[in-house]
Amino acid sequence: MEREKVIEVRDLVKRFGSFTANDRLTFDVYRGEIFGFLGANGAGKTTAMRILCGLSRPTSGKVTVAGIDSHRPEEIKKRIGYMSQRFSLYEDLTVNENIELYGGIYGMTMKEIRPRREELLRRLSFTGYGNTLILALPLGLRQKLAFAVALFHEPEIVFLDEPTSGVDPVTRRQFWEMIYETASRGITVFVTTHYMDEAEYCDRITIMSEGRIVALDTPSALRQQYGTASVEELFVKIARPQRINA
Amino acid sequence: MNAIEAYNITQRYGRVTAVDDVSFSVGEGELFGFIGPDGAGKTTLFRIAATLIIPSGGRITLFGLNVVSNFRELRSQIGYMPGRFSLYHDLTVEENLNFYATIFGTTIKENYHLIEPIYKQIEPFKKRQAGRLSGGMKQKLALSCALIHKPRILILDEPTTGVDAVSRTEFWEILAGLKNEGITIIVSTPYMDEALRCDRIALIQEGKLLGIDTPARIRNSYSRKLYAVSHPDRYRLLLALRSLPQVVSPEPFGDSVHVVLRDDADPAEVKRALEGAGLSGAIIAETVPGIEDVFLELMQKEV
């Protein structure tokens, strides 16, 4: 069965002056897939992810996200969700206000937002928290809410940039269960992480090093190919930069 | 004499108790890890040990000296690396290091042997502003600055957070080398797998210690028989396991789900039940608990 591609990247190159951050990247991501994007700091992950999210344009190559060419970034942005560890929700706004702001940015009316908001709060067992400031929520709850909010406008793909950094092991597992559930509904999950055990949760992973893709397959196939017991070992083996990278 | 003796340390911020009656000791020359998530109290505890804040309650000594009454004497013996990069962004690598050497009344030359294995990796960039370094290089510079006055104890607050697995491995190799120099090290991390690199660890959650021991003994303290179940459709597997009466608390772990069976139920029975649920080919095998399994078990006991 031919699987439906939701991200297509062909020979993507991104240069900053004389520095090549992304060097001829080629890969596909399929509908409903959990795709892990790994690499050492400075390997070029963030640059590639910014292009996929419509925040930056490639120097050359062809990138299609949710059927939209990267030269129409505004259209891409409407079809994707994004959540990062560094910034997710406005701390000095309430839960309801954050959802309304987010929905509003995506052009939803209050009439559309309200029922969906109630449904979201019910699903997360957040009923009664609507008027609580984000500041007052524990980190774990914030991250779960942030993920739900990133999915609020029903995007085809959601990008998660180190979503579980620093959260406790119970919350981390609950978070991954939300990822599984999201993928099972046909939404593609594109995720970066420094937790190598989390890479094992992904359907496929790619490892970048020095601007290039050095590995792309299922975690088990890669472990077999390189004869390592874990993705962690594999990562240390192949992601170590050869040149000194400032 | 122990490097650290801490008795009943408590730190309150208004109504929040960040550190709650924590006691521990660290031997001289030991590499001691605090493992726990954000908000567990690691940073507060380290600031207290580094003489930077006075605890609301309890007593802590470093090499027999009280951190509150003897802070002046102690400061020259402590090398502290805070969680957030705190060097001068607009000074160069070399200027930062020189600055730290000078305020401790020493020179780079005098203790160069101590920092050499770390510093030589960033020395090619010594004329670069610290703010313009990559994450891994900032971390190495910060460690060099914490070491330049030859402290007896290093207090490292989450030095590897947000750093990739390759740089993390390198960093732990460096710490092992410093331990061989006789330096006592306390280090915190949210990455449970890093616990195995410490002599002893303390698991910390919501201001309380869940356990202190060697990593091996912590793993052996897991009280139940643990199984790993795997199947290509992990989400359906997880949901199916949760609905089985024989299974207690299934937890996703990488490519498998870790489960404990109720009243020593037969794993073959679980396999049959999964097949009945349409998950044929599921594999169930006994597995060795990791630090994170223990952490999860201890967290559940606390609740």
Side-chain angles (χ1 to χ4, degrees), chain B residues 108-151:
Chain B
I108 295 179
K109 212 172 136 194
E110 199 174 325
N111 292 318
Y112 188 79
H113 66 282
L114 201 57
I115 63 162
E116 190 180 359
I118 310 150
Y119 188 62
K120 70 167 191 246
Q121 299 177 34
I122 50 173
E123 220 168 5
F125 308 99
K126 66 183 180 187
K127 300 287 181 205
R128 183 176 295 190
Q129 287 188 343
R132 298 173 53 110
L133 297 174
S134 71
M137 288 167 72
K138 277 183 180 151
Q139 175 207 42
K140 282 171 188 146
L141 176 60
L143 183 61
S144 301
C145 290
L147 269 173
I148 194 62
H149 60 294
K150 204 178 178 196

mmCIF file of all heavy atoms in Angstrom, chain B residues 108-151:
data_model
loop_
_atom_site.group_PDB
_atom_site.id
_atom_site.type_symbol
_atom_site.label_atom_id
_atom_site.label_comp_id
_atom_site.label_asym_id
_atom_site.label_seq_id
_atom_site.Cartn_x
_atom_site.Cartn_y
_atom_site.Cartn_z
ATOM 1 N N ILE B 108 45.771 31.247 35.292
ATOM 2 C CA ILE B 108 45.423 30.120 34.428
ATOM 3 C C ILE B 108 46.580 29.127 34.412
ATOM 4 O O ILE B 108 46.390 27.917 34.475
ATOM 5 C CB ILE B 108 45.111 30.605 32.992
ATOM 6 C CG1 ILE B 108 43.857 31.479 32.973
ATOM 7 C CG2 ILE B 108 44.939 29.423 32.035
ATOM 8 C CD1 ILE B 108 43.472 32.031 31.617
ATOM 9 N N LYS B 109 47.796 29.675 34.383
ATOM 10 C CA LYS B 109 48.993 28.843 34.276
ATOM 11 C C LYS B 109 49.134 27.896 35.469
ATOM 12 O O LYS B 109 49.452 26.726 35.310
ATOM 13 C CB LYS B 109 50.228 29.760 34.193
ATOM 14 C CG LYS B 109 51.352 29.183 33.369
ATOM 15 C CD LYS B 109 52.436 30.227 33.180
ATOM 16 C CE LYS B 109 53.795 29.568 33.396
ATOM 17 N NZ LYS B 109 54.854 30.569 33.561
ATOM 18 N N GLU B 110 48.846 28.425 36.660
ATOM 19 C CA GLU B 110 49.055 27.660 37.872
ATOM 20 C C GLU B 110 48.245 26.362 37.909
ATOM 21 O O GLU B 110 48.734 25.329 38.351
ATOM 22 C CB GLU B 110 48.707 28.534 39.085
ATOM 23 C CG GLU B 110 49.307 28.003 40.367
ATOM 24 C CD GLU B 110 49.066 28.975 41.525
ATOM 25 O OE1 GLU B 110 49.076 30.205 41.308
ATOM 26 O OE2 GLU B 110 48.861 28.498 42.651
ATOM 27 N N ASN B 111 46.997 26.426 37.472
ATOM 28 C CA ASN B 111 46.149 25.239 37.542
ATOM 29 C C ASN B 111 45.787 24.687 36.163
ATOM 30 O O ASN B 111 44.800 23.958 36.016
ATOM 31 C CB ASN B 111 44.878 25.549 38.327
ATOM 32 C CG ASN B 111 45.180 25.785 39.785
ATOM 33 O OD1 ASN B 111 45.993 25.063 40.378
ATOM 34 N ND2 ASN B 111 44.581 26.811 40.361
ATOM 35 N N TYR B 112 46.597 25.033 35.179
ATOM 36 C CA TYR B 112 46.243 24.644 33.810
ATOM 37 C C TYR B 112 46.071 23.136 33.667
ATOM 38 O O TYR B 112 45.179 22.667 32.962
ATOM 39 C CB TYR B 112 47.297 25.153 32.816
ATOM 40 C CG TYR B 112 46.874 24.931 31.375
ATOM 41 C CD1 TYR B 112 45.956 25.791 30.768
ATOM 42 C CD2 TYR B 112 47.362 23.855 30.628
ATOM 43 C CE1 TYR B 112 45.528 25.583 29.472
ATOM 44 C CE2 TYR B 112 46.941 23.642 29.326
ATOM 45 C CZ TYR B 112 46.030 24.504 28.753
ATOM 46 O OH TYR B 112 45.605 24.288 27.474
ATOM 47 N N HIS B 113 46.910 22.364 34.399
ATOM 48 C CA HIS B 113 46.849 20.906 34.268
ATOM 49 C C HIS B 113 45.457 20.361 34.592
ATOM 50 O O HIS B 113 45.009 19.385 34.031
ATOM 51 C CB HIS B 113 47.879 20.258 35.208
ATOM 52 C CG HIS B 113 47.574 20.465 36.656
ATOM 53 N ND1 HIS B 113 47.831 21.650 37.317
ATOM 54 C CD2 HIS B 113 46.978 19.656 37.566
ATOM 55 C CE1 HIS B 113 47.419 21.552 38.583
ATOM 56 N NE2 HIS B 113 46.905 20.344 38.750
ATOM 57 N N LEU B 114 44.779 21.068 35.524
ATOM 58 C CA LEU B 114 43.468 20.600 35.967
ATOM 59 C C LEU B 114 42.407 20.795 34.875
ATOM 60 O O LEU B 114 41.541 19.944 34.661
ATOM 61 C CB LEU B 114 43.081 21.383 37.230
ATOM 62 C CG LEU B 114 42.041 20.782 38.142
ATOM 63 C CD1 LEU B 114 42.462 19.404 38.616
ATOM 64 C CD2 LEU B 114 41.830 21.708 39.337
ATOM 65 N N ILE B 115 42.482 21.934 34.190
ATOM 66 C CA ILE B 115 41.460 22.233 33.191
ATOM 67 C C ILE B 115 41.861 21.771 31.796
ATOM 68 O O ILE B 115 41.026 21.740 30.897
ATOM 69 C CB ILE B 115 41.106 23.742 33.156
ATOM 70 C CG1 ILE B 115 42.334 24.574 32.732
ATOM 71 C CG2 ILE B 115 40.548 24.218 34.488
ATOM 72 C CD1 ILE B 115 41.973 25.954 32.265
ATOM 73 N N GLU B 116 43.104 21.381 31.650
ATOM 74 C CA GLU B 116 43.621 21.104 30.302
ATOM 75 C C GLU B 116 42.740 20.186 29.432
ATOM 76 O O GLU B 116 42.427 20.532 28.300
ATOM 77 C CB GLU B 116 45.041 20.534 30.381
ATOM 78 C CG GLU B 116 45.681 20.482 29.007
ATOM 79 C CD GLU B 116 47.101 19.917 29.019
ATOM 80 O OE1 GLU B 116 47.611 19.568 30.099
ATOM 81 O OE2 GLU B 116 47.678 19.826 27.919
ATOM 82 N N PRO B 117 42.322 19.013 29.976
ATOM 83 C CA PRO B 117 41.543 18.125 29.121
ATOM 84 C C PRO B 117 40.244 18.753 28.595
ATOM 85 O O PRO B 117 39.755 18.377 27.535
ATOM 86 C CB PRO B 117 41.211 16.926 30.028
ATOM 87 C CG PRO B 117 41.927 17.116 31.301
ATOM 88 C CD PRO B 117 42.498 18.488 31.328
ATOM 89 N N ILE B 118 39.706 19.706 29.359
ATOM 90 C CA ILE B 118 38.452 20.348 28.952
ATOM 91 C C ILE B 118 38.763 21.575 28.108
ATOM 92 O O ILE B 118 38.230 21.774 27.026
ATOM 93 C CB ILE B 118 37.658 20.801 30.200
ATOM 94 C CG1 ILE B 118 37.563 19.648 31.193
ATOM 95 C CG2 ILE B 118 36.294 21.328 29.819
ATOM 96 C CD1 ILE B 118 37.477 20.121 32.630
ATOM 97 N N TYR B 119 39.677 22.411 28.669
ATOM 98 C CA TYR B 119 39.911 23.714 28.066
ATOM 99 C C TYR B 119 40.552 23.605 26.679
ATOM 100 O O TYR B 119 40.284 24.418 25.799
ATOM 101 C CB TYR B 119 40.772 24.569 28.999
ATOM 102 C CG TYR B 119 40.900 26.004 28.544
ATOM 103 C CD1 TYR B 119 39.777 26.813 28.457
ATOM 104 C CD2 TYR B 119 42.136 26.539 28.182
ATOM 105 C CE1 TYR B 119 39.865 28.125 28.024
ATOM 106 C CE2 TYR B 119 42.246 27.848 27.754
ATOM 107 C CZ TYR B 119 41.099 28.638 27.675
ATOM 108 O OH TYR B 119 41.200 29.919 27.239
ATOM 109 N N LYS B 120 41.365 22.568 26.474
ATOM 110 C CA LYS B 120 42.044 22.496 25.168
ATOM 111 C C LYS B 120 41.035 22.292 24.023
ATOM 112 O O LYS B 120 41.313 22.636 22.890
ATOM 113 C CB LYS B 120 43.140 21.435 25.177
ATOM 114 C CG LYS B 120 42.688 20.014 25.234
ATOM 115 C CD LYS B 120 43.865 19.091 24.925
ATOM 116 C CE LYS B 120 43.375 17.679 24.724
ATOM 117 N NZ LYS B 120 43.802 16.718 25.705
ATOM 118 N N GLN B 121 39.853 21.770 24.366
ATOM 119 C CA GLN B 121 38.830 21.599 23.332
ATOM 120 C C GLN B 121 38.230 22.930 22.881
ATOM 121 O O GLN B 121 37.690 23.032 21.789
ATOM 122 C CB GLN B 121 37.709 20.690 23.832
ATOM 123 C CG GLN B 121 38.199 19.296 24.182
ATOM 124 C CD GLN B 121 37.076 18.432 24.734
ATOM 125 O OE1 GLN B 121 35.928 18.545 24.334
ATOM 126 N NE2 GLN B 121 37.411 17.552 25.659
ATOM 127 N N ILE B 122 38.284 23.946 23.780
ATOM 128 C CA ILE B 122 37.713 25.238 23.382
ATOM 129 C C ILE B 122 38.799 26.292 23.168
ATOM 130 O O ILE B 122 38.518 27.387 22.712
ATOM 131 C CB ILE B 122 36.672 25.753 24.413
ATOM 132 C CG1 ILE B 122 37.231 25.718 25.832
ATOM 133 C CG2 ILE B 122 35.386 24.953 24.337
ATOM 134 C CD1 ILE B 122 36.296 26.370 26.853
ATOM 135 N N GLU B 123 40.033 25.931 23.460
ATOM 136 C CA GLU B 123 41.127 26.891 23.335
ATOM 137 C C GLU B 123 41.255 27.485 21.922
ATOM 138 O O GLU B 123 41.583 28.670 21.782
ATOM 139 C CB GLU B 123 42.449 26.261 23.781
ATOM 140 C CG GLU B 123 43.287 27.240 24.561
ATOM 141 C CD GLU B 123 44.473 26.590 25.261
ATOM 142 O OE1 GLU B 123 44.695 25.370 25.065
ATOM 143 O OE2 GLU B 123 45.173 27.305 25.983
ATOM 144 N N PRO B 124 40.979 26.706 20.853
ATOM 145 C CA PRO B 124 41.042 27.328 19.522
ATOM 146 C C PRO B 124 40.112 28.534 19.382
ATOM 147 O O PRO B 124 40.270 29.353 18.481
ATOM 148 C CB PRO B 124 40.601 26.203 18.583
ATOM 149 C CG PRO B 124 40.853 24.929 19.325
ATOM 150 C CD PRO B 124 40.677 25.267 20.772
ATOM 151 N N PHE B 125 39.114 28.645 20.268
ATOM 152 C CA PHE B 125 38.144 29.732 20.170
ATOM 153 C C PHE B 125 38.320 30.728 21.314
ATOM 154 O O PHE B 125 37.384 31.423 21.701
ATOM 155 C CB PHE B 125 36.722 29.163 20.189
ATOM 156 C CG PHE B 125 36.519 28.078 19.184
ATOM 157 C CD1 PHE B 125 36.567 26.745 19.552
ATOM 158 C CD2 PHE B 125 36.324 28.389 17.841
ATOM 159 C CE1 PHE B 125 36.409 25.739 18.609
ATOM 160 C CE2 PHE B 125 36.167 27.383 16.902
ATOM 161 C CZ PHE B 125 36.210 26.057 17.277
ATOM 162 N N LYS B 126 39.533 30.814 21.878
ATOM 163 C CA LYS B 126 39.697 31.613 23.093
ATOM 164 C C LYS B 126 39.470 33.105 22.868
ATOM 165 O O LYS B 126 39.235 33.833 23.817
ATOM 166 C CB LYS B 126 41.063 31.340 23.734
ATOM 167 C CG LYS B 126 42.248 31.776 22.922
ATOM 168 C CD LYS B 126 43.523 31.382 23.652
ATOM 169 C CE LYS B 126 44.735 31.815 22.841
ATOM 170 N NZ LYS B 126 45.970 31.310 23.448
ATOM 171 N N LYS B 127 39.536 33.545 21.613
ATOM 172 C CA LYS B 127 39.300 34.969 21.341
ATOM 173 C C LYS B 127 37.832 35.258 21.035
ATOM 174 O O LYS B 127 37.463 36.382 20.690
ATOM 175 C CB LYS B 127 40.157 35.441 20.153
ATOM 176 C CG LYS B 127 41.648 35.272 20.370
ATOM 177 C CD LYS B 127 42.191 36.278 21.366
ATOM 178 C CE LYS B 127 43.699 36.099 21.540
ATOM 179 N NZ LYS B 127 44.140 36.598 22.867
ATOM 180 N N ARG B 128 37.010 34.232 21.102
ATOM 181 C CA ARG B 128 35.593 34.427 20.769
ATOM 182 C C ARG B 128 34.810 34.853 22.019
ATOM 183 O O ARG B 128 35.081 34.402 23.119
ATOM 184 C CB ARG B 128 35.019 33.119 20.215
ATOM 185 C CG ARG B 128 33.575 33.254 19.783
ATOM 186 C CD ARG B 128 33.052 32.010 19.154
ATOM 187 N NE ARG B 128 33.729 31.708 17.893
ATOM 188 C CZ ARG B 128 33.324 30.785 17.055
ATOM 189 N NH1 ARG B 128 32.255 30.048 17.328
ATOM 190 N NH2 ARG B 128 33.966 30.556 15.936
ATOM 191 N N GLN B 129 33.802 35.715 21.811
ATOM 192 C CA GLN B 129 32.942 36.107 22.931
ATOM 193 C C GLN B 129 32.173 34.889 23.436
ATOM 194 O O GLN B 129 31.652 34.098 22.640
ATOM 195 C CB GLN B 129 31.946 37.180 22.491
ATOM 196 C CG GLN B 129 32.595 38.534 22.286
ATOM 197 C CD GLN B 129 31.560 39.622 22.052
ATOM 198 O OE1 GLN B 129 30.414 39.342 21.737
ATOM 199 N NE2 GLN B 129 31.984 40.859 22.204
ATOM 200 N N ALA B 130 32.066 34.782 24.755
ATOM 201 C CA ALA B 130 31.421 33.610 25.354
ATOM 202 C C ALA B 130 29.972 33.466 24.887
ATOM 203 O O ALA B 130 29.476 32.359 24.705
ATOM 204 C CB ALA B 130 31.484 33.699 26.869
ATOM 205 N N GLY B 131 29.299 34.584 24.686
ATOM 206 C CA GLY B 131 27.903 34.551 24.260
ATOM 207 C C GLY B 131 27.719 33.925 22.893
ATOM 208 O O GLY B 131 26.610 33.556 22.516
ATOM 209 N N ARG B 132 28.793 33.830 22.131
ATOM 210 C CA ARG B 132 28.678 33.314 20.762
ATOM 211 C C ARG B 132 29.118 31.852 20.642
ATOM 212 O O ARG B 132 29.267 31.344 19.532
ATOM 213 C CB ARG B 132 29.510 34.200 19.814
ATOM 214 C CG ARG B 132 29.001 35.636 19.777
ATOM 215 C CD ARG B 132 29.943 36.502 18.961
ATOM 216 N NE ARG B 132 30.181 35.919 17.651
ATOM 217 C CZ ARG B 132 29.730 36.413 16.523
ATOM 218 N NH1 ARG B 132 29.009 37.506 16.538
ATOM 219 N NH2 ARG B 132 30.012 35.837 15.381
ATOM 220 N N LEU B 133 29.303 31.201 21.765
ATOM 221 C CA LEU B 133 29.692 29.789 21.730
ATOM 222 C C LEU B 133 28.461 28.899 21.605
ATOM 223 O O LEU B 133 27.364 29.290 21.980
ATOM 224 C CB LEU B 133 30.427 29.412 23.023
ATOM 225 C CG LEU B 133 31.748 30.103 23.327
ATOM 226 C CD1 LEU B 133 32.237 29.700 24.712
ATOM 227 C CD2 LEU B 133 32.799 29.749 22.280
ATOM 228 N N SER B 134 28.648 27.674 21.118
ATOM 229 C CA SER B 134 27.563 26.700 21.085
ATOM 230 C C SER B 134 27.314 26.182 22.502
ATOM 231 O O SER B 134 28.128 26.393 23.412
ATOM 232 C CB SER B 134 27.942 25.533 20.176
ATOM 233 O OG SER B 134 28.944 24.750 20.789
ATOM 234 N N GLY B 135 26.206 25.479 22.682
ATOM 235 C CA GLY B 135 25.820 24.992 24.009
ATOM 236 C C GLY B 135 26.880 24.123 24.652
ATOM 237 O O GLY B 135 27.243 24.317 25.821
ATOM 238 N N GLY B 136 27.413 23.174 23.887
ATOM 239 C CA GLY B 136 28.409 22.260 24.435
ATOM 240 C C GLY B 136 29.689 22.990 24.825
ATOM 241 O O GLY B 136 30.345 22.649 25.815
ATOM 242 N N MET B 137 30.037 24.022 24.060
ATOM 243 C CA MET B 137 31.271 24.768 24.361
ATOM 244 C C MET B 137 31.097 25.688 25.564
ATOM 245 O O MET B 137 32.019 25.856 26.368
ATOM 246 C CB MET B 137 31.705 25.561 23.132
ATOM 247 C CG MET B 137 32.254 24.651 22.043
ATOM 248 S SD MET B 137 32.434 25.481 20.469
ATOM 249 C CE MET B 137 33.802 26.514 20.804
ATOM 250 N N LYS B 138 29.896 26.260 25.695
ATOM 251 C CA LYS B 138 29.612 27.089 26.877
ATOM 252 C C LYS B 138 29.757 26.242 28.134
ATOM 253 O O LYS B 138 30.308 26.686 29.143
ATOM 254 C CB LYS B 138 28.168 27.612 26.816
ATOM 255 C CG LYS B 138 27.997 28.851 25.973
ATOM 256 C CD LYS B 138 26.569 29.329 26.041
ATOM 257 C CE LYS B 138 26.388 30.585 25.199
ATOM 258 N NZ LYS B 138 25.055 30.717 24.666
ATOM 259 N N GLN B 139 29.262 25.037 28.039
ATOM 260 C CA GLN B 139 29.301 24.118 29.174
ATOM 261 C C GLN B 139 30.756 23.825 29.558
ATOM 262 O O GLN B 139 31.108 23.806 30.737
ATOM 263 C CB GLN B 139 28.556 22.870 28.710
ATOM 264 C CG GLN B 139 28.514 21.697 29.628
ATOM 265 C CD GLN B 139 28.363 20.428 28.812
ATOM 266 O OE1 GLN B 139 28.995 20.252 27.771
ATOM 267 N NE2 GLN B 139 27.518 19.545 29.275
ATOM 268 N N LYS B 140 31.607 23.633 28.567
ATOM 269 C CA LYS B 140 33.012 23.338 28.856
ATOM 270 C C LYS B 140 33.727 24.559 29.438
ATOM 271 O O LYS B 140 34.550 24.424 30.345
ATOM 272 C CB LYS B 140 33.725 22.866 27.583
ATOM 273 C CG LYS B 140 33.378 21.415 27.285
ATOM 274 C CD LYS B 140 33.863 20.945 25.942
ATOM 275 C CE LYS B 140 33.290 19.553 25.673
ATOM 276 N NZ LYS B 140 33.007 19.332 24.257
ATOM 277 N N LEU B 141 33.377 25.747 28.934
ATOM 278 C CA LEU B 141 33.975 26.959 29.493
ATOM 279 C C LEU B 141 33.525 27.162 30.944
ATOM 280 O O LEU B 141 34.334 27.492 31.813
ATOM 281 C CB LEU B 141 33.600 28.183 28.641
ATOM 282 C CG LEU B 141 34.104 29.527 29.182
ATOM 283 C CD1 LEU B 141 35.625 29.545 29.292
ATOM 284 C CD2 LEU B 141 33.618 30.694 28.321
ATOM 285 N N ALA B 142 32.236 26.948 31.191
ATOM 286 C CA ALA B 142 31.716 27.133 32.548
ATOM 287 C C ALA B 142 32.400 26.164 33.512
ATOM 288 O O ALA B 142 32.739 26.538 34.635
ATOM 289 C CB ALA B 142 30.199 26.920 32.574
ATOM 290 N N LEU B 143 32.621 24.944 33.069
ATOM 291 C CA LEU B 143 33.304 23.978 33.936
ATOM 292 C C LEU B 143 34.757 24.407 34.163
ATOM 293 O O LEU B 143 35.266 24.336 35.285
ATOM 294 C CB LEU B 143 33.234 22.571 33.333
ATOM 295 C CG LEU B 143 33.861 21.465 34.179
ATOM 296 C CD1 LEU B 143 33.154 21.339 35.527
ATOM 297 C CD2 LEU B 143 33.814 20.121 33.459
ATOM 298 N N SER B 144 35.418 24.893 33.126
ATOM 299 C CA SER B 144 36.798 25.383 33.278
ATOM 300 C C SER B 144 36.861 26.509 34.307
ATOM 301 O O SER B 144 37.755 26.543 35.153
ATOM 302 C CB SER B 144 37.356 25.889 31.937
ATOM 303 O OG SER B 144 37.343 24.867 30.974
ATOM 304 N N CYS B 145 35.896 27.438 34.225
ATOM 305 C CA CYS B 145 35.880 28.572 35.157
ATOM 306 C C CYS B 145 35.605 28.112 36.587
ATOM 307 O O CYS B 145 36.127 28.691 37.545
ATOM 308 C CB CYS B 145 34.836 29.610 34.739
ATOM 309 S SG CYS B 145 35.286 30.502 33.239
ATOM 310 N N ALA B 146 34.770 27.065 36.726
ATOM 311 C CA ALA B 146 34.457 26.553 38.069
ATOM 312 C C ALA B 146 35.649 25.811 38.671
ATOM 313 O O ALA B 146 35.716 25.603 39.868
ATOM 314 C CB ALA B 146 33.235 25.640 38.014
ATOM 315 N N LEU B 147 36.579 25.399 37.810
ATOM 316 C CA LEU B 147 37.707 24.577 38.248
ATOM 317 C C LEU B 147 39.009 25.345 38.434
ATOM 318 O O LEU B 147 39.950 24.828 39.044
ATOM 319 C CB LEU B 147 37.994 23.520 37.177
ATOM 320 C CG LEU B 147 37.320 22.172 37.265
ATOM 321 C CD1 LEU B 147 37.647 21.390 36.006
ATOM 322 C CD2 LEU B 147 37.759 21.416 38.499
ATOM 323 N N ILE B 148 39.078 26.564 37.897
ATOM 324 C CA ILE B 148 40.377 27.218 37.727
ATOM 325 C C ILE B 148 41.063 27.521 39.063
ATOM 326 O O ILE B 148 42.281 27.647 39.132
ATOM 327 C CB ILE B 148 40.259 28.492 36.844
ATOM 328 C CG1 ILE B 148 41.634 28.961 36.382
ATOM 329 C CG2 ILE B 148 39.483 29.603 37.530
ATOM 330 C CD1 ILE B 148 42.376 27.961 35.509
ATOM 331 N N HIS B 149 40.302 27.609 40.155
ATOM 332 C CA HIS B 149 40.922 27.873 41.462
ATOM 333 C C HIS B 149 41.160 26.573 42.231
ATOM 334 O O HIS B 149 41.401 26.609 43.433
ATOM 335 C CB HIS B 149 40.062 28.843 42.275
ATOM 336 C CG HIS B 149 38.686 28.341 42.555
ATOM 337 N ND1 HIS B 149 37.758 28.147 41.543
ATOM 338 C CD2 HIS B 149 38.069 27.984 43.698
ATOM 339 C CE1 HIS B 149 36.639 27.693 42.092
ATOM 340 N NE2 HIS B 149 36.801 27.574 43.393
ATOM 341 N N LYS B 150 41.080 25.437 41.578
ATOM 342 C CA LYS B 150 41.349 24.136 42.172
ATOM 343 C C LYS B 150 40.498 23.869 43.419
ATOM 344 O O LYS B 150 41.031 23.726 44.533
ATOM 345 C CB LYS B 150 42.848 24.034 42.535
ATOM 346 C CG LYS B 150 43.295 22.587 42.594
ATOM 347 C CD LYS B 150 44.753 22.467 42.899
ATOM 348 C CE LYS B 150 45.091 20.994 42.980
ATOM 349 N NZ LYS B 150 46.373 20.745 43.614
ATOM 350 N N PRO B 151 39.188 23.837 43.226
ATOM 351 C CA PRO B 151 38.311 23.619 44.375
ATOM 352 C C PRO B 151 38.405 22.181 44.887
ATOM 353 O O PRO B 151 38.836 21.290 44.155
ATOM 354 C CB PRO B 151 36.914 23.882 43.797
ATOM 355 C CG PRO B 151 37.041 23.523 42.348
ATOM 356 C CD PRO B 151 38.436 23.888 41.956
#
